[in-house]
Amino acid sequence: MTAEIVIMNKHGVALAADSAVSIGSSKVYNSANKLFALSKRYPVGIMIYGSADFMDTPWETVIKYYRSTHLKNKHFETLQDYYFDFIEFLQSTTIFPKDSEARYFIRVAVGACTEIKTLINDKIKSAFNHGEGVDENTVRSITKESIKQIRDHSATLTQSVLFARSNRDEVLNSHESSLSNVISRIFENLYIDTEDRDGIANIILNIIGCCDIEHEQGHTGIVIAGYGEKEIFPCMAAMRIQGRLGNYLRLQHVEDNESEPYSASISPFAQREMVDMFMCGADPEITKHMISSFDEVVRKIPELLVEKLNYNIDAENELVTLRSEIESFSKTANSKIAEFQNNNYIQPILASVNALPLDELASMAESLVNLTSFKRRVTMVQESVGGPIDVAVISKGDGLIWIKRKHYFSSELNHHYFSNLSRDDNGHRNQPND
């Protein structure tokens, strides 16, 4: 995990990211680079969080390859153009290992088949524990029922408009052999007929085409911020990306934001609980628990009136009306809490941020990431946020300026590195944005 933040106002945008990267469930290194200049010459930056690799290739390699061989000295009128150009590059580039798509498909297939197998086993155990006869016909019936149940559920997932029928056929045809091997291996003790295999294939295709990948393991968040050529105020665009099959990207657009003369924005990514607490005046989990507890209490009021006060009501209709009125009161109370937080915490902070100069924006961004890191350090949880914090600011006039930037090597011993960075592919002198 990680903690990253983008703070924007009319002066520019500040970006900050920690350096922690988790290996497995317990090992953490504090040396990862997650914040980069997207262009050497133009005011655009990019941050990543979540998985450090895409299609078995480190994101740092992907971003720097894009910058040096695809973007080069090109520039665009809007930040959205940079955003979609980067997506187009990811769709079409050939830099990924040839078998990375096959391995990615197998990971998705294994995950789906394992879920189906687990459901089948649970139903078989339940039938056995309830004293039902578990013979071969029962197992086949449970298998078909489980596959149909998950297939029907997967069909309700919101599908990407980019994952057209032709994409589904292409994916299935390209990886038919891999799918057959996965099914044979995972369901080796069960009878799986052609209908079942088709159902499993549909489940996998529905998962691949699903738009919502936020809760899936292995996805990467990408944040691009800065200015297009015609933009006077900074903008930001964010997405989540999971993998690529053919020219189809498993991609979810997350957020678009544009600064204006009289507004500011604070956008945390990944582990955001401390930023939300700072903005809202209370831990969001506590607020959520209080609201949930309040709702649970008020829902019991109608029954308590009847039971404790011998409240005389006529039949069920009166009780339904009373419940409805109390639920309406509960929603109003919850809205007032949100309104209070907005008026007394969120808006005053944003009003202050709107006037901050660039150096203060950078300081605020670093402090908020540090706050998350500090909490992880002093509580009994994995320190998945930590290490040096990279901080950069981007302005229309000065471009991307590093406020803090770690290197894994000594700058005194590597003058050639900074000399090379100071010139672009055409020999123009640039800022050493790495």
Side-chain angles (χ1 to χ4, degrees):
M1 290 298 287
T2 188
E4 297 180 354
I5 194 165
V6 177
I7 306 178
M8 297 197 304
N9 67 10
K10 58 188 174 183
H11 300 293
V13 53
L15 305 96
D18 76 316
S19 301
V21 58
S22 302
I23 308 295
S25 60
S26 58
K27 191 67 174 177
V28 177
Y29 292 100
N30 291 317
S31 57
N33 290 324
K34 305 173 185 178
L35 172 56
F36 308 92
L38 191 63
S39 169
K40 287 186 178 182
R41 299 190 66 189
Y42 299 100
V44 185
I46 183 171
M47 292 195 302
I48 61 168
Y49 62 92
S51 176
D53 293 347
F54 181 67
M55 304 305 290
D56 300 321
T57 306
W59 271 111
E60 183 170 358
T61 301
V62 174
I63 290 169
K64 292 183 176 180
Y65 184 87
Y66 164 80
R67 187 176 67 191
S68 63
T69 65
H70 182 86
L71 184 63
K72 296 185 179 178
N73 295 319
K74 287 192 298 185
H75 58 95
F76 299 101
E77 293 185 351
T78 69
L79 183 89
Q80 285 285 332
D81 292 331
Y82 283 100
Y83 177 78
F84 287 116
D85 186 71
F86 187 64
I87 291 174
E88 182 183 341
F89 164 77
L90 295 177
Q91 287 176 319
S92 60
T93 183
T94 58
I95 67 170
F96 304 125
K98 292 182 179 179
D99 58 350
S100 61
E101 290 190 12
R103 287 202 294 271
Y104 174 66
F105 178 85
I106 289 173
R107 285 198 296 271
V108 176
V110 168
C113 290
T114 301
E115 181 180 350
I116 297 169
K117 181 70 175 295
T118 299
L119 181 62
I120 292 171
N121 287 339
D122 289 345
K123 288 186 175 182
I124 292 173
K125 289 178 183 178
S126 177
F128 180 80
N129 291 336
H130 284 82
E132 300 176 14
V134 180
D135 55 17
E136 184 177 336
N137 289 331
T138 302
V139 171
R140 287 185 181 180
S141 175
I142 290 175
T143 299
K144 286 188 173 295
E145 178 188 345
S146 301
I147 293 173
K148 182 180 183 303
Q149 180 181 340
I150 296 180
R151 185 195 64 199
D152 291 345
H153 172 71
S154 69
T156 66
L157 300 175
T158 303
Q159 296 290 298
S160 168
V161 295
L162 300 177
F163 196 53
R165 181 76 245 179
S166 58
N167 294 112
R168 295 173 68 95
D169 294 340
E170 179 185 352
V171 167
L172 198 56
N173 292 335
S174 299
H175 303 283
E176 187 174 5
S177 175
S178 297
L179 176 59
S180 178
N181 291 335
V182 169
I183 291 175
S184 297
R185 175 162 54 89
I186 293 181
F187 297 98
E188 59 180 347
N189 296 325
L190 297 171
Y191 176 77
I192 301 292
D193 61 21
T194 302
E195 181 184 18
D196 297 329
R197 288 176 179 268
D198 290 343
I200 294 170
N202 275 314
I203 291 169
I204 293 169
L205 292 174
N206 287 336
I207 292 172
I208 290 171
C210 176
C211 290
D212 187 3
I213 60 175
E214 179 179 4
H215 303 293
E216 292 187 22
Q217 290 186 344
H219 76 268
T220 301
I222 298 176
V223 184
I224 297 177
Y227 299 80
E229 189 74 10
K230 289 190 174 183
E231 291 169 330
I232 301 301
F233 301 105
C235 302
M236 178 195 72
M239 62 176 143
R240 299 186 186 98
I241 188 168
Q242 175 69 288
R244 188 182 86 171
L245 291 168
N247 291 328
Y248 169 67
L249 288 177
R250 291 202 64 204
L251 180 72
Q252 178 184 8
H253 298 286
V254 176
E255 185 176 353
D256 295 316
N257 205 345
E258 181 177 353
S259 179
E260 297 177 356
Y262 307 107
S263 68
S265 66
I266 299 175
S267 302
F269 296 92
Q271 293 180 204
R272 54 179 295 160
E273 68 273 8
M274 296 307 292
V275 179
D276 289 338
M277 184 188 301
F278 171 79
M279 292 293 295
C280 298
D283 189 319
E285 286 300 315
I286 292 179
T287 303
K288 181 179 177 181
H289 179 72
M290 290 174 62
I291 290 174
S292 175
S293 299
F294 177 74
D295 289 343
E296 184 179 350
V297 169
V298 298
R299 279 197 297 268
K300 295 179 180 178
I301 291 176
E303 285 76 11
L304 287 173
L305 287 173
V306 173
E307 180 181 350
K308 300 295 184 182
L309 301 179
N310 294 320
Y311 183 67
N312 187 20
I313 59 174
D314 184 18
E316 183 68 19
N317 289 339
E318 291 290 341
L319 191 59
V320 169
T321 301
L322 188 58
R323 286 198 191 103
S324 177
E325 291 175 351
I326 289 178
E327 287 179 6
S328 176
F329 163 75
S330 176
K331 290 179 181 178
T332 301
N334 294 341
S335 297
K336 287 185 176 181
I337 293 173
E339 183 181 359
F340 180 84
Q341 286 183 315
N342 184 64
N343 292 339
N344 292 274
Y345 291 93
I346 298 173
Q347 290 307 317
I349 291 173
L350 292 178
S352 176
V353 170
N354 191 48
L356 291 180
L358 290 175
D359 59 334
E360 293 294 342
L361 278 186
S363 178
M364 182 178 184
E366 180 184 7
S367 296
L368 289 175
V369 174
N370 248 328
L371 193 60
T372 306
S373 174
F374 177 73
K375 182 185 178 182
R376 308 294 292 188
R377 188 164 67 249
V378 300
T379 54
M380 299 300 291
V381 295
Q382 185 185 45
E383 289 187 46
S384 54
V385 177
I389 297 174
D390 291 330
V391 185
V393 294
I394 305 173
S395 64
K396 184 67 174 177
D398 297 333
L400 189 145
I401 302 294
W402 289 106
I403 305 301
K404 290 189 175 181
R405 179 61 163 167
K406 66 181 177 298
H407 288 288
Y408 63 90
F409 54 82
S410 168
S411 58
E412 289 81 5
L413 300 177
N414 293 276
H415 296 291
H416 64 284
Y417 170 79
F418 295 98
S419 177
N420 291 337
L421 282 177
S422 67
R423 297 184 181 276
D424 62 24
D425 298 317
N426 294 328
H428 297 112
R429 185 170 294 278
N430 288 318
Q431 293 290 332
N433 292 332
D434 142 351

